[in-house]
Amino acid sequence: MNARERLNAEAAKRILVFDGAFGTQIQGRGLSEADYAGDLGLGADQKGNNDILALTRPDVIGDITRAYLDAGSDVVSTNTFSANRISQADYAAEDKVEEINLASARIARELADEFEQADGRPRFVAGAIGPTNKTLSLSPDVEDPGFREIDFDFLTGVYRDQAAALVEGGADFILIETIFDTLNAKAGIMAVKQLERELGRDVPVMLSMTLTDLSGRNLSGHTVEAFWYAVRHARPATIGLNCSFGAEQLRPHIQVLSGIADTLLMAYPNAGLPNELGEYDEAPETTAALVKAWAENGRANILGGCCGSTPEHIAAIARAVEGVAPRKVPARDTEMRLAGLEPFSIAA
């Protein structure tokens, strides 16, 4: 079986567990600029460039990945959220993009294989691709609404380079996550489709939208339902929501998406809402209880955590959903579904 088939087979048996945040764990290590910079000789301060740690402190990334696997994760992500030419330009590290993605994917792959060999339970690696700090749908210049810093073809090329390195390093899936701009996500999808043609095989995508307000829209204005109709042609292995808010605020939007998406639903909310210092206080048992309710109501197939989540949160989620029946994927309907910012259906 290929990765998509193996994931579907495991998700039919039980609710699977995704990992948690890398940033929270990295910050807790108190690393210095020298830890980030290593001996790469880059011409800019590297403090805060979490992705570069796959090259300069692979032990840190390995330790965090191992902690999430120990906590019960079935799917672990690569620490590559900003490992693309656009984001790495802020650190003068554009020429390290391929190395970063290869190294991070190999760390995750080796550990996933180690855990699978130990107990026979399949583990999966999701190659994480973030939205970059550019947007295709919106102008950064309020005086010029038509201005764009980049175009679709450029961003597609950026994503294609990152995806190719992640797949070469051993990623099973390309996770296009924290999608605030649906057009950026479409560039990511196009990049993976190009890569599929080059490799002559399926490269499954996971898609995860992030909401910018409680009405349930992303920054480019799409509702959850409209977003699904805009991307379902990509046949994603999973669709879902991440980041945004805590589980309590995401509940109604998970319910909507769960009812219409004819694929696995993966959700990994923040550990509540940040406090006045920007820190996350929600206890692991609280997060676990909230997502357990989603599971018990048949709304999710894969659950994990985003900002503020820790291995303790993931372990609590794993315990909470153990034995809960997985969501049944609804059958695809035959009506024509279109999307602007709102969904539009043409009845048969």
Side-chain angles (χ1 to χ4, degrees):
M1 290 191 291
N2 61 27
R4 185 194 296 267
E5 292 167 338
R6 292 176 71 228
L7 183 72
N8 285 333
E10 289 302 305
K13 302 174 188 174
R14 58 195 170 84
I15 292 174
L16 304 181
V17 179
F18 188 56
D19 64 13
F22 270 85
T24 307
Q25 297 302 294
I26 291 170
Q27 290 167 15
R29 299 296 181 107
L31 300 177
S32 68
E33 200 278 333
D35 287 306
Y36 285 89
D39 58 2
L40 298 179
L42 297 171
D45 192 309
Q46 296 301 305
K47 187 69 178 288
N49 186 4
N50 290 345
D51 306 78
I52 205 78
L53 294 172
L55 301 180
T56 58
R57 288 296 305 273
D59 59 309
V60 171
I61 304 306
D63 286 348
I64 294 168
T65 303
R66 181 179 292 278
Y68 283 126
L69 287 162
D70 278 331
S73 293
D74 299 284
V75 184
V76 290
S77 57
T78 58
N79 180 49
T80 52
F81 186 82
S82 298
N84 60 75
R85 277 187 280 135
I86 293 172
S87 301
Q88 287 300 310
D90 293 343
Y91 299 97
E94 303 98 311
D95 64 341
K96 299 296 182 183
V97 164
E98 181 178 12
E99 289 181 60
I100 293 169
N101 285 283
L102 280 170
S104 195
R106 286 168 177 159
I107 291 168
R109 179 79 271 156
E110 289 173 7
L111 286 166
D113 289 348
E114 176 189 322
F115 274 73
E116 181 171 344
Q117 289 164 9
D119 63 12
R121 196 175 93 220
R123 304 304 201 285
F124 303 91
V125 175
I129 289 182
T132 80
N133 52 16
K134 308 294 182 185
T135 171
L136 291 173
S137 294
L138 304 169
S139 173
D141 184 355
V142 295
E143 302 296 330
D144 185 0
F147 174 71
R148 300 292 185 271
E149 291 182 275
I150 57 173
D151 62 24
F152 185 89
D153 289 342
F154 177 78
L155 184 56
T156 298
V158 166
Y159 279 143
R160 185 257 164 229
D161 291 345
Q162 185 177 7
L166 288 168
V167 170
E168 184 179 345
D172 296 302
F173 307 96
I174 296 299
L175 169 60
I176 303 171
E177 63 175 339
T178 318
I179 297 169
F180 66 79
D181 183 342
T182 304
L183 194 55
N184 280 33
K186 284 179 170 286
I189 291 168
M190 176 64 80
V192 174
K193 293 301 178 185
Q194 290 176 355
L195 183 60
E196 283 184 329
R197 287 194 294 269
E198 294 169 18
L199 298 177
R201 67 175 179 86
D202 181 36
V203 179
V205 293
M206 295 172 157
L207 302 175
S208 191
M209 178 187 184
T210 190
L211 306 180
T212 54
D213 61 59
L214 291 174
S215 72
R217 295 179 186 271
N218 65 1
L219 191 63
S220 58
H222 293 87
T223 66
V224 169
E225 190 174 359
F227 174 75
W228 166 242
Y229 296 143
V231 300
R232 69 174 181 171
H233 67 280
R235 294 177 57 246
T238 68
I239 190 75
L241 302 175
N242 78 289
C243 204
S244 314
F245 309 106
E248 188 170 3
Q249 291 78 18
L250 282 187
R251 181 190 56 77
H253 309 296
I254 291 293
Q255 183 170 335
V256 168
L257 187 56
S258 176
I260 60 175
D262 59 332
T263 192
L264 301 179
L265 192 143
M266 182 166 78
Y268 48 116
N270 291 344
L273 296 173
N275 60 27
E276 61 274 10
L277 299 177
E279 298 175 345
Y280 293 84
D281 301 322
E282 187 170 276
E285 293 73 19
T286 303
T287 304
L290 290 167
V291 300
K292 181 181 180 181
W294 299 353
E296 290 177 331
N297 287 306
R299 296 301 180 184
N301 301 101
I302 308 173
L303 291 167
C306 200
C307 300
S309 60
T310 66
E312 290 73 27
H313 286 83
I314 301 309
I317 291 170
R319 291 191 298 269
V321 302
E322 186 174 0
V324 179
R327 165 181 172 266
K328 294 187 183 302
V329 177
R332 177 180 284 256
D333 63 48
T334 57
E335 292 185 356
M336 178 179 286
R337 309 285 191 178
L338 306 174
L341 298 183
E342 305 281 346
F344 179 73
S345 300
I346 300 176

